[in-house]
Every structure is written in C-alpha cells, then in structure tokens.
Amino acid sequence: MAGGGFVVADAPSVDYGGRVTFSVVVTCLMAASGGLIFGYDIGISGGVTAMESFLSAFFPGVLRRMAAARRDQYCVYDSHSLTAFTSSLYLAGLAASLVAGRVTRAVGRQAVMLAGGALFFAGAAVNAAAVNVAMLIVGRMLLGFGIGFTNQAAPVYLAETAPPRWRGAFTAGFQLFLSVGNLAANLVNYGTSRIPTWGWRLSLGLAAAPAAVILAGALLIPDTPSSLVLRGRAEEARAALRRVRGPKADVDAELEDVSRAVAAARAHEDGAFRRILLREHRHHLAMAVAVPLFQQLTGVSVIAFFSPVFFQTAGFGSSGALMGAVILGAVNLASTLVSAAAIDRYGRRPLLLTGGFVMVICQVGVAWIMGSQIGSNGGSAMARPYSMAVLALTCVFSAAFGWSWGPLSWVIPGEIFPVEIRSAGQGISVAVNLGATFLLTQTFLATLCALKYATFVYYAAWVAVMTAFVAAFLPETKGVPLEAMDAVWESHWYWGRFVQPPPAKVAEEPAA
C-alpha cells in the first residue's frame, strides 16, 4: 500500500465508557483558550503596521516610500526593522519552547499555561506604553515567552484530557480559539484605525484581554491525569478523571492504562530529547519537525500577519485593506468550525489532502493575477475587479487552511507522542513552528520585494510537496487512544520498520 492512511483494524479503540460531560467541555474550552493569545497577536501586528500613526511614530521611512510618486508596490513595506517588530515575538517564543518541555514535566500543564498568560499580559502592557522601537521589541519578546509556554502546554493538555473518540474535535479547539482571537484583533484594528495618534496603543494594549481569559481559565481547571500521575499524585489524577469522564466511565481502567504509560516514562526519566533522536522514535521526530514546518510553509502566517499590507499591495486603500483582513479572519473561523465537526468523522488525512489541493490552486491564481496586473516591476495599479478576485482567492485559501493544516498542525503533534517523550516532542514541534514563523515573517516583505508575484508560486510549490508527504507518510489516527498509538505506526508501510514491537510474553509452563 503506497500511503499510510488507515486506522489499524486491531488497534484498541476503547474509550473506557466515558462520555462528553459538561465538565470535560468546560475544562477543554478553558485550556483551548490559550489559542486566543496566539490568534490575537497574529491579527493585531499586521493591522498595526498598516496604521499611519504607528508608522509615523516608529517607522517613518515606510511612510516616505508610500508617499513617493514612483514606487514599486511590492517593496513599499520592505523594512527589516518593521518585520523585526513582528518576528521578534517568535524568536522569543522559540527560546521559551526549548525549555517549556522540561518545565511542563516538572510543574504540570496547568501551571505552564498560567505562566504563559501572565507573561503575555505583561507584554501587552509594555507594548501599549511603548515610546521607542526598543520598548516595542521588549514587549514583543514578553509576548513571545508567553506564547512559547502556552503553545507547548495547551495542545498536550487537550489531547490528554479529551475522550479518545472525540479527541480531534477537542484538540482542534486550540485552533478555533486562535481563529477567534485573530478575528477579534482584525475587528479591533478596523475600529482603532479611526482613532488618530493613539489607536495603535489601544490595539496593542487590548492583548491583555485574551491574556486575562487564559489566566482565569488556567486557575479554574485541574491538571491532566497523565501529568498528575507523572508527578506522583495518583488520587488527584483519579479525581480529575472522574470529573471529566462522568460517573459511568471505567475510571480505574483508564487510570491503570495511564499509570502503565507513565511507569514506562519513568524508566526513561531523563534524556527525553536524546531518546527522541533514537531510531525507534524516527517517526515521532519526523512528524515533530515536518508538520509544524509545513504549516508555516503554506505561507498562511505571513498572509495573516501582513494581510492589510498585502491587500494594499493588491490595490485596496487603508480602510479597505483592514476590512479585507476582517473578512479573512471570519472565513478562517468559519472553516475551523467545519473542521472541528469533520475531524473525528472523516479523519485527519482527507482534510489535509483536500486542503492542500485547494491551497495550491489559490496560490497559483493569486500569482497569475498579480503578475498580469501589477507586473514584475510593481509599477502598475491593479484594477478593482482583479483586487476583488485576489481577496476572493485569499479567502478560499484561508478556508482551505482553516479546515486542514490550521487545526491539524496542533492536533497531530499533540496525539502521536508516547508519554515518555510527549513534552519533548511537543517542545520540538512548537520550537519548529515558532522558528519557521520567525524566519518567514522576518523575510516575507523582502521576499515579496525580490520575487514579486512569484512569491506565491514559491508557497504553492511547498504546499504541493507537503500534500505529497501526507499522502505517503502520515497515518490516520482518528479514534485511536493515545496509549494504543504505537499500533498505527507498526502497521505503516514505511514507519513500521522503525517501531520496536513490545516484548513477547513468555507463557508459563503448567506445574507438574
């Protein structure tokens, strides 16, 4: 079989009789709200960098290029200091994610989410009060530390708490809240752009609102059963399971499986990052790197960050560009809701494959329109119908991302790692995601200036590569309990060669 898209027929599919209780819904919603801070930042930074009051205060050189009589539309915003304002957050997030795995194992998922929310709150306050670029960067780095911790802990929390049968939908809640945060930020930008001189301060300062939500949520929810057992708090783990699974669930059976997995983890207490490099974890390492890297190589983050800038390049005015970003955020939110409903019904692979196909078509279409209308020198203005076509294609692209790589890039890493390397694997995944985001955001405006419309052909080529990767190498994990995930990899046509089968039980001879 050429692909890896199947659920192993003999893999355990028990869900221990648990059901979707009110408690598990509330608990997972509180944890998923960690996505709010990430989504708000994605939306807010792009809109702020398109505000004249913000540019005049910190980046006047960009305004001078905008006012020039002859200008290259692709290069107006090409400023490394401007992109550093956006990308510095992700460099700080990368640094935080490298230590977040060890911290998470030591203090638990809940405490790490609490710390992440507090750091994000502090960063919002510094940015709102900024009087120079250095202060902006310090605030952005505090935001980045918060995101690095929260992005590491929240998806793992969701995967460990959700019932196996509905794990995909619950874990996709992180992306759902990310989309809500992004849409809220775009709406805030659209409103504050009408406030002269200090509207940008309000946009940046309101990041404290999603930070307060994750702080309150982290205070109200218990830690995950796996994390509690790992830290020797078995009775608290039993109580947490009983709370989220309901009175009819076989809590003892699930706790026994969790304890067995944790006992295996304790046998390899130290060196999780070294172990994930071993041959038997080759498939885990490959997915920890490939999934978040491919998500960023779709180009969706730079389009989200710089969507107002991009829409101005495509011929919209300042107000129209901000409204375009609002529409884009709404489309992404709607498609994420579709994904949450479909992910546990149709599986991970079908959503990724269809999403990749649609994204390739949209990227090529945008490249063709911009090449034919603006030209290779960026000196021509785009006619209104073509600007609307670019907006439509970008919205379809965002919808395809929202039902595929958006939520699934958080779902898949959160569910595929065994408990002994789960924090390390998630840490690598978050580090790759934030590192790739930093590189792409720091270079996007320069790339747009250098490659012109071919920038979108470049991203389309990567989407084609990653879609082929999914078809060949990503197995289907729909409905498989975390403790039974090894069976999926053992039966895969390629990864099966790397998985160590469990030791065979030796039958005892009957007594004479």
Side-chain angles (χ1 to χ4, degrees):
M1 186 173 182
F6 51 84
V7 176
V8 181
D10 57 352
S13 58
V14 61
D15 61 3
Y16 309 101
R19 57 190 179 87
V20 180
T21 63
F22 176 77
S23 180
V24 78
V25 171
V26 172
T27 300
C28 287
L29 284 176
M30 290 294 98
S33 65
L36 279 175
I37 61 176
F38 197 15
Y40 189 87
D41 176 77
I42 289 173
I44 213 68
S45 56
V48 166
T49 54
M51 295 183 187
E52 290 190 11
S53 57
F54 177 78
L55 293 174
S56 63
F58 298 102
F59 307 100
V62 174
L63 279 180
R64 287 193 294 270
R65 283 198 296 274
M66 292 175 67
R70 294 179 60 84
R71 62 183 186 180
D72 185 339
Q73 299 282 1
Y74 296 110
C75 300
V76 167
Y77 289 92
D78 183 17
S79 166
H80 286 292
S81 58
L82 179 61
T83 50
F85 163 72
T86 298
S87 64
S88 57
L89 180 148
Y90 301 97
L91 187 61
L94 169 61
S97 67
L98 293 176
V99 300
R102 184 175 294 274
V103 174
T104 300
R105 285 177 63 87
V107 303
R109 323 311 190 200
Q110 178 203 27
V112 169
M113 288 191 288
L114 189 64
L119 286 165
F120 200 87
F121 193 95
V126 172
N127 270 347
V131 294
N132 52 48
V133 174
M135 198 169 174
L136 278 178
I137 299 300
V138 169
R140 295 287 293 175
M141 293 184 73
L142 286 171
L143 296 173
F145 291 137
I147 284 177
F149 281 113
T150 306
N151 284 10
Q152 201 280 342
V156 173
Y157 186 104
L158 291 166
E160 290 181 344
T161 302
R165 186 174 173 185
W166 297 282
R167 187 178 60 245
F170 277 100
T171 311
F174 186 83
Q175 177 68 24
L176 176 63
F177 274 87
L178 190 153
S179 300
V180 170
N182 178 259
L183 177 59
N186 287 319
L187 288 169
V188 167
N189 281 334
Y190 186 74
T192 59
S193 65
R194 288 158 171 73
I195 303 174
T197 68
W198 58 273
W200 62 271
R201 291 190 186 276
L202 184 58
S203 288
L204 295 178
L206 283 175
V213 172
I214 184 61
L215 277 171
L219 287 171
L220 294 173
I221 60 178
D223 214 335
T224 69
S226 292
S227 181
L228 290 167
V229 171
L230 191 62
R231 289 178 288 135
R233 297 158 65 176
E235 287 307 311
E236 291 181 50
R238 188 188 306 276
L241 268 178
R242 188 175 292 113
R243 173 180 173 179
V244 297
R245 295 291 185 259
K248 296 183 179 180
D250 191 350
V251 170
D252 290 334
E254 183 170 0
L255 185 61
E256 182 179 348
D257 284 345
V258 170
S259 299
R260 189 180 301 114
V262 169
R266 283 208 181 99
H268 307 281
E269 189 70 33
D270 296 318
F273 281 99
R274 291 195 302 272
R275 284 197 308 279
I276 202 172
L277 299 176
L278 298 177
R279 176 181 171 84
E280 57 262 34
H281 292 303
R282 188 71 50 81
H283 48 300
H284 296 129
L285 179 61
M287 295 303 164
V289 174
V291 171
L293 180 62
F294 281 146
Q295 185 210 39
Q296 293 306 311
L297 287 172
T298 61
V300 71
S301 289
V302 291
I303 290 176
F305 296 142
F306 300 113
S307 55
V309 172
F310 168 61
F311 289 137
Q312 284 191 4
T313 303
F316 287 91
S318 178
S319 179
L322 289 171
M323 178 51 68
V326 171
I327 295 170
L328 203 62
V331 169
N332 186 262
L333 174 58
S335 62
T336 303
L337 288 170
V338 170
S339 179
I343 191 171
D344 287 316
R345 181 175 183 180
Y346 299 108
R348 285 66 165 146
R349 279 169 49 89
L351 297 181
L352 289 172
L353 294 173
T354 56
F357 177 75
V358 173
M359 285 191 287
V360 169
I361 294 175
C362 292
Q363 292 276 35
V364 172
V366 169
W368 178 80
I369 292 173
M370 295 190 74
S372 64
Q373 294 299 303
I374 300 179
S376 59
N377 61 4
S380 303
M382 186 179 292
R384 185 70 174 178
Y386 289 98
S387 297
M388 297 302 295
V390 167
L391 174 60
L393 284 171
T394 307
C395 285
V396 175
F397 172 89
S398 182
F401 178 85
W403 81 60
S404 60
W405 283 92
L408 288 169
S409 63
W410 301 107
V411 171
I412 293 168
E415 68 184 7
I416 64 171
F417 301 117
V419 67
E420 66 267 21
I421 61 167
R422 189 167 296 155
S423 291
Q426 185 68 14
I428 291 172
S429 180
V430 172
V432 170
N433 184 291
L434 294 173
T437 305
F438 165 72
L439 290 174
L440 289 172
T441 52
Q442 184 62 34
T443 59
F444 173 69
L445 295 177
T447 302
L448 183 64
C449 182
L451 297 182
K452 316 298 184 185
Y453 61 87
T455 301
F456 302 96
V457 176
Y458 169 79
Y459 287 126
W462 275 116
V463 176
V465 169
M466 59 200 255
T467 303
F469 177 88
V470 169
F473 296 111
L474 183 67
E476 181 59 73
T477 54
K478 179 184 72 171
V480 181
L482 298 183
E483 294 75 21
M485 201 63 69
D486 277 350
V488 174
W489 300 103
E490 287 172 12
S491 299
H492 189 271
W493 73 274
Y494 180 76
W495 299 119
R497 71 188 71 181
F498 299 105
V499 180
Q500 284 189 340
K505 293 183 179 180
V506 179
E508 296 182 3
E509 293 185 6

